[in-house]
Amino acid sequence: MNNKPKTSAFERLKSKVKPHDREFASITLDIVDQIYDILESKGWTQKVLAEKMGKRESEVSRLLSGVHNLSILTLAKLQIALEDTIICTPKRYKTITAAQTSIIPEIPSSTYTPSKKAEIGESNYAMAA
Amino acid sequence: MLLNIYVNKFATITLSNEFIYPRVKFYSVTFEDDVSEIDKFFEKMERSAAESDSSRFIALLEEIGNHRGAKERYFRKENAFGALPPKNKEIRELKLGSFEPIDNWRLYCLRLSDNIVILFNGGIKTTDKALDCPTVSPFFRQAEKLTKLIDEAIKEGNLTLLSGELKIKPGFEIML
């Protein structure tokens, strides 16, 4: 007699989900959320973005569906249209923040004193803006 | 002589443990003495979808359930449902969308909030418009009917949207 509990199709399929598909879902929804945050901060709609990209709104909607495998070229076009950064590698981020620290005027009351002189690629300010 | 007999079908809103996630509870609909509509969908997917497709599909469902919440942006609104009147303030956000992780698979659902989604059934869409597709059009129509009935049930107080869960009045059934 087989006493094994009956599993559902969902459970069986779930056990076969590939780690790279979980990573894909995470990355792609990060990108979608970032794009929506930028649109919201600019007060733009998907329609405005579509106009700036010279595409139909339905095409942009598909790009932002969270399941579209966005190419680097498409991401570049989106960044140009949005006039903002969607993705940034950790190395690039360090360079940008290091560059920002050099142009931020010093305010004595809020100046962080590093224990050593910052080198290129290092940031003294975690989120200098 | 032709007899035209309508037999009402009854359904309940159900929630299986396997569809309870930290950020989202994915409910479904179960007709009398049957498995839930979402179980039928995944049984179909297990039989006929490529393993890579079902893997991506479930990975996305789990990412939303575990980490993101069912944000409106993740659901595609079906044009045919755009005309649904938002009569009740509480259900102004009602939208029926097709969850579209992979090219031709469609899972019709009703997103009630960031934490509550009711998953219906679906299949592989073979035409541009869902209503023209012999495979998914019955599920599309079923989803449309269920959405209207759930809308009424919310207005009548048989279903209440609480933060993070759906309160179902004991004994409540949907009559189709």
Side-chain angles (χ1 to χ4, degrees), chain A residues 8-14 16-18 21-22 24-34 36-37 40 61-62 64-69, chain B residues 18-19 21 39 42-46 51-52 54-56 58-64 66 68 71 73-76 99-103 106:
Chain A
S8 67
F10 179 69
E11 287 293 337
R12 288 190 294 274
L13 290 171
K14 203 166 88 168
K16 293 178 189 167
V17 173
K18 303 277 188 299
D21 285 326
R22 292 190 194 283
F24 176 85
S26 173
I27 294 169
T28 197
L29 292 187
D30 271 351
I31 290 171
V32 168
D33 284 345
Q34 185 67 42
Y36 273 94
D37 283 354
E40 205 176 294
S61 172
R62 189 168 171 73
L64 304 186
S65 68
V67 294
H68 193 83
N69 194 0
Chain B
E18 59 194 355
F19 292 105
Y21 287 87
D39 282 339
F42 281 115
E43 281 168 11
K44 202 170 359 185
M45 192 168 232
E46 189 178 37
E51 206 170 293
S52 57
S54 58
S55 176
R56 273 183 71 188
I58 292 172
L60 196 64
L61 190 78
E62 293 207 309
E63 176 68 20
I64 290 171
N66 282 323
R68 313 271 169 171
K71 293 175 190 166
R73 66 184 62 158
Y74 303 145
F75 295 82
R76 201 165 71 89
F99 186 48
E100 190 189 14
I102 43 180
D103 283 343
R106 295 290 187 277

Side-chain angles (χ1 to χ4, degrees), chain B residues 4-171:
Chain B
N4 193 3
I5 301 171
Y6 288 99
V7 180
N8 288 325
K9 282 166 78 181
F10 291 89
T12 50
I13 293 180
T14 48
L15 177 65
S16 300
N17 285 337
E18 59 194 355
F19 292 105
I20 299 174
Y21 287 87
R23 302 290 299 272
V24 185
K25 284 191 172 81
F26 294 102
Y27 291 79
S28 191
V29 171
T30 304
F31 290 97
E32 303 156 86
D33 304 322
D34 207 347
V35 297
S36 71
E37 290 304 291
I38 192 59
D39 282 339
K40 287 181 197 169
F41 174 81
F42 281 115
E43 281 168 11
K44 202 170 359 185
M45 192 168 232
E46 189 178 37
R47 281 196 306 272
S48 52
E51 206 170 293
S52 57
D53 282 354
S54 58
S55 176
R56 273 183 71 188
F57 195 108
I58 292 172
L60 196 64
L61 190 78
E62 293 207 309
E63 176 68 20
I64 290 171
N66 282 323
H67 306 294
R68 313 271 169 171
K71 293 175 190 166
E72 202 173 336
R73 66 184 62 158
Y74 303 145
F75 295 82
R76 201 165 71 89
K77 186 181 170 185
E78 281 292 347
N79 289 336
F81 296 93
L84 260 186
K87 290 175 187 165
N88 185 313
K89 197 180 175 188
E90 203 173 14
I91 52 157
R92 211 167 273 274
E93 281 185 63
L94 274 184
K95 272 186 184 174
L96 183 77
S98 70
F99 186 48
E100 190 189 14
I102 43 180
D103 283 343
N104 292 316
W105 279 91
R106 295 290 187 277
L107 171 57
Y108 297 106
C109 55
L110 176 62
R111 175 197 167 275
L112 291 171
S113 72
D114 281 0
N115 318 107
I116 304 166
V117 178
I118 302 177
L119 302 173
F120 301 132
N121 203 334
I124 299 172
K125 198 174 85 157
T126 55
T127 56
D128 280 349
K129 289 180 182 170
L131 281 170
D132 296 335
C133 172
T135 315
V136 299
S137 61
F139 302 117
F140 187 86
R141 289 199 182 90
Q142 182 195 60
E144 186 180 36
K145 275 187 201 165
L146 287 167
T147 295
K148 284 177 183 164
L149 293 168
I150 291 168
D151 182 2
E152 283 169 19
I154 291 171
K155 277 182 275 181
E156 288 163 6
N158 290 317
L159 295 173
T160 312
L161 288 174
L162 301 176
S163 67
E165 67 178 313
L166 194 58
K167 189 180 168 194
I168 304 164
K169 205 169 179 178

